[in-house]
Amino acid sequence: MIYLSEWQHGDTVYYLAASKKGVCYFGNNERAVVMTWLGRHFNEDVLLGSPADAHNRKYMDDLTNYFNGSLTAFDWPFDLKGTPFQQLVWEQLLTVPYGRTLTYGDIAARLNNSKAVRAVGGAIGRNPVMVAIPCHRIIGRNGKLTGFSGGLDIKRQLLDIEGIAYHD
């Protein structure tokens, strides 16, 4: 069973999905897109509404606290579907501390493959759990903001919450 909840911050609607193992999706795509993604990656029924919200309550409370500036680390279990390389990249993202940034090249170097910068970017772009797996903390080597699956406005908002300086 996948538990899918709608969560809103400001004008932005997000969807959070979790299995019994942990969070498998958090992002601001349209619900139809999320449902298609879940169908491709999980062969399980999707539960919506109050029962799903009850299952996901801790995660949604943590998100509220993060967006309000009172939570700096997530202690969530995850249920991630991706290639072995994507999994390695996502594990590296989890090591980037609140309020700090790394570059795509830094992540590639941590994987002992400095030539894999584009592949790292591709894996980061497929991160299914934005915010808690902090892909927003990865910037271009010149300090510029680069692509973000949730949109650059959301990336700016997340970096602002964490007090991270950037330039466009």
Side-chain angles (χ1 to χ4, degrees):
M1 179 69 61
I2 299 294
Y3 302 87
L4 180 62
S5 297
E6 186 177 293
W7 182 83
Q8 187 162 348
H9 179 74
D11 294 333
T12 305
V13 174
Y14 296 87
Y15 290 94
L16 183 138
S19 69
K20 291 192 186 306
K21 293 180 185 176
V23 176
C24 56
Y25 179 87
F26 178 69
N28 62 338
N29 285 313
E30 298 290 326
R31 183 161 65 176
V33 173
V34 176
M35 293 295 288
T36 299
W37 185 89
L38 289 170
R40 252 192 341 248
H41 292 89
F42 293 87
N43 187 25
E44 299 182 42
D45 292 333
V46 177
L47 183 65
L48 303 162
S50 297
D53 293 347
H55 181 271
N56 291 334
R57 176 58 43 213
K58 180 221 184 315
Y59 307 131
M60 293 190 295
D61 289 347
D62 284 353
L63 288 164
T64 298
N65 291 331
Y66 172 84
F67 276 83
N68 291 337
S70 61
L71 182 77
T72 60
F74 294 88
D75 61 352
W76 297 356
F78 296 105
D79 186 2
L80 303 175
K81 306 294 185 198
T83 67
F85 182 77
Q86 289 170 340
Q87 299 270 348
L88 288 172
V89 171
W90 300 338
E91 287 172 19
Q92 287 300 313
L93 294 177
L94 289 168
T95 69
V96 183
Y98 182 94
R100 302 287 303 262
T101 60
L102 290 178
T103 67
Y104 297 91
D106 293 334
I107 298 294
R110 286 179 169 201
L111 297 173
N112 296 315
N113 189 350
S114 59
K115 294 183 180 191
V117 174
R118 284 185 177 215
V120 164
I124 290 172
R126 287 177 178 75
N127 171 18
V129 185
M130 62 186 247
V131 181
I133 300 176
C135 52
H136 62 280
R137 296 180 189 149
I138 308 304
I139 58 174
R141 74 172 168 208
N142 57 4
K144 285 186 136 185
L145 295 187
T146 54
F148 183 66
S149 63
L152 286 179
D153 287 341
I154 300 293
K155 186 170 188 167
R156 286 183 194 95
Q157 179 184 24
L158 299 173
L159 295 174
D160 289 343
I161 287 168
E162 297 187 24
I164 297 172
Y166 58 87
H167 61 277
D168 289 316

